Amino acid sequence: MELILDKDIWDGFVEASPNGTLFHRWDFLQIVQKYTGYKLYPYGIYQKGELISVIPFFLRIHNGLKMMISPPPLPMANVPYLGFAMSPAFHELPPHEKIVAWDRIVREMHRGLKPSPNYVCIGQTSDISDTRPFEWQHYEVDQQYTYVLDLNKPLKEIWDGFDRDCRKNINECKTHPLSFREVNDVDRFNETMKEHLTRDGPTFYHRRDPAYLAELLRTFPANIKLYFFYNGDEIVGVKINLGYKKNYMSWMGNVSVRKGLSTNEYFYWELIKKAREDGYKRHENYGSYNPRLNLFKSKFNPALEPCFYVQKKDLLFSTMWRSYNAVAGFAKAIRVK
């Protein structure tokens, strides 16, 4: 395992990787480093001179303890997962060869991390579901979930799968002069999110300078889209969606600005149709643990797809973590899964 300092090599690998995401792209990682202050370590793992995996880590030092995390905590960058992006050749291996290679990759990662961390945390894409090599290295495993909608299905089949009340709400919205527009007003977006998430604060929107989102929009104009939803001339919703390769993600926003009108369901449906028209095959509405949000996301009949966070603490980190005073300090610095 060694650091990769060549953007073209890194992005070429991510683009070819079946589970490489926009979050793995070089410029995205550099922007995260710039605004979080966490130091980026873009590692590649080679076998017989061939690059077979990349994994970006971010270093956070707090009270002298070194934490290597991939991705940073959600309130810092709002990146739901990173972890390993694997080569096409790896994904095509037969089961026996794949588990042997995967075990070697995890062991090499664990051995090769520099500086040697007190804590490691990896949030992996749902494509990588085999956690056994991490367990063999005594990592703790936390299973989480994301919602996925298959956009290959006929549009009528997708519609018929929606909850009955959801379809009713969407049809009622059609009697209003609703529309959506792509905009770049990240300041208005951020203020709207902070205003409607006050009871959930401090959230990502309270912590992060809107310039972070503005730079992402400038850097990836074909992939990241900010939408304002209107009822006539009145803004009734805001949303940021992300598309890369075959995948389309409901990423940020989705707050209801105006009560009494089910605009969230209506615009969710409109953007699903747009994603299909744009050629995307998979729609992800990540996260399923918040009960209030879960009720909304499950209306659209998505599949529940598991994904995994793994973490490992050394003795020093575990000892300090058990200290009440240390916990109070760490809680401000990093969310540990």
Side-chain angles (χ1 to χ4, degrees):
M1 186 167 80
E2 60 186 51
L3 291 173
I4 296 176
L5 303 178
D6 187 309
K7 173 183 175 178
D8 292 338
I9 292 175
W10 182 275
D11 276 348
F13 184 92
V14 170
E15 184 67 26
S17 168
N19 72 304
T21 70
L22 190 69
F23 305 122
H24 285 94
R25 290 290 297 270
W26 184 270
D27 287 341
F28 201 111
L29 297 170
Q30 296 295 331
I31 293 170
V32 170
Q33 175 178 239
K34 175 180 176 180
Y35 286 94
T36 63
Y38 294 9
K39 183 173 176 54
L40 172 65
Y41 285 79
Y43 280 110
I45 298 178
Y46 295 81
Q47 183 177 25
K48 296 180 180 178
E50 179 183 355
L51 184 60
I52 59 171
S53 178
V54 299
I55 179 168
F57 275 102
F58 288 88
L59 173 66
R60 168 68 167 161
I61 301 178
H62 184 70
N63 285 358
L65 297 182
K66 302 180 184 69
M67 296 170 275
M68 295 290 270
I69 48 184
S70 181
L74 274 176
M76 299 303 295
N78 214 354
V79 173
Y81 41 64
L82 268 176
F84 291 93
M86 313 299 293
S87 70
F90 171 84
H91 285 271
E92 294 168 2
L93 289 173
H96 171 71
E97 294 181 28
K98 181 177 287 187
I99 186 56
V100 170
W102 182 219
D103 181 41
R104 288 175 176 170
I105 288 168
V106 171
R107 283 191 284 113
E108 181 61 24
M109 178 276 298
H110 181 74
R111 185 190 68 81
L113 277 177
K114 304 294 181 190
S116 181
N118 304 100
Y119 172 76
V120 179
C121 183
I122 302 169
Q124 191 60 56
T125 65
S126 60
D127 306 70
I128 306 295
S129 58
D130 188 353
T131 62
R132 291 172 297 170
F134 291 102
E135 295 175 63
W136 297 335
Q137 297 296 324
H138 308 293
Y139 280 73
E140 301 171 28
V141 177
D142 176 24
Q143 180 170 326
Q144 301 190 24
Y145 297 91
T146 187
Y147 278 127
V148 175
L149 195 62
D150 181 3
L151 298 183
N152 288 305
K153 293 180 179 179
L155 198 59
K156 185 178 185 304
E157 185 177 341
I158 294 175
W159 169 259
D160 289 343
F162 289 1
D163 176 83
R164 183 175 61 183
D165 288 339
C166 179
R167 297 197 304 267
K168 178 176 177 289
N169 291 337
I170 292 171
N171 284 328
E172 287 179 353
C173 281
K174 292 179 181 178
T175 63
H176 295 264
L178 298 177
S179 63
F180 65 93
R181 305 171 204 164
E182 184 180 342
V183 299
N184 292 304
D185 192 348
V186 294
D187 292 314
R188 180 79 175 268
F189 170 81
N190 207 67
E191 287 304 312
T192 300
M193 294 304 298
K194 285 198 296 184
E195 178 183 347
H196 288 82
L197 294 177
T198 300
R199 64 180 179 177
D200 299 326
T203 67
F204 162 81
Y205 305 99
H206 297 85
R207 293 172 180 265
R208 184 57 52 235
D209 187 332
Y212 169 68
L213 293 178
E215 188 160 346
L216 287 174
L217 285 170
R218 288 194 304 271
T219 306
F220 299 101
N223 305 102
I224 303 176
K225 307 288 187 180
L226 169 57
Y227 297 106
F228 282 3
F229 305 143
Y230 295 87
N231 182 22
D233 294 327
E234 176 191 7
I235 295 178
V236 293
V238 296
K239 191 168 185 60
I240 295 180
N241 281 7
L242 182 153
Y244 186 62
K245 299 179 183 176
K246 65 179 180 179
N247 301 306
Y248 192 74
M249 174 181 283
S250 179
W251 189 27
M252 300 189 200
N254 215 43
V255 298
S256 182
V257 174
R258 176 178 170 181
K259 304 301 180 184
L261 189 62
S262 300
T263 54
N264 280 350
E265 287 96 330
Y266 177 80
F267 287 118
Y268 190 91
W269 171 234
E270 291 299 307
L271 290 173
I272 284 175
K273 291 191 290 184
K274 186 179 187 309
R276 289 181 84 255
E277 292 170 0
D278 290 344
Y280 294 104
K281 306 300 182 184
R282 181 179 184 270
H283 182 284
E284 180 179 2
N285 199 350
Y286 81 89
S288 62
Y289 275 92
N290 184 306
R292 176 173 57 86
L293 297 179
N294 182 63
L295 288 174
F296 173 78
K297 294 178 180 183
S298 61
K299 291 180 180 182
F300 303 95
N301 194 33
L304 194 62
E305 201 168 273
C307 50
F308 297 90
Y309 265 74
V310 297
Q311 64 173 353
K312 186 169 187 176
K313 314 179 186 92
D314 71 4
L315 180 61
L316 178 60
F317 190 96
S318 297
T319 300
M320 293 192 68
W321 186 255
R322 285 192 292 265
S323 162
Y324 175 81
N325 291 331
V327 169
F330 282 129
K332 297 177 182 179
I334 181 170
R335 183 192 65 179
V336 174
K337 292 286 180 179

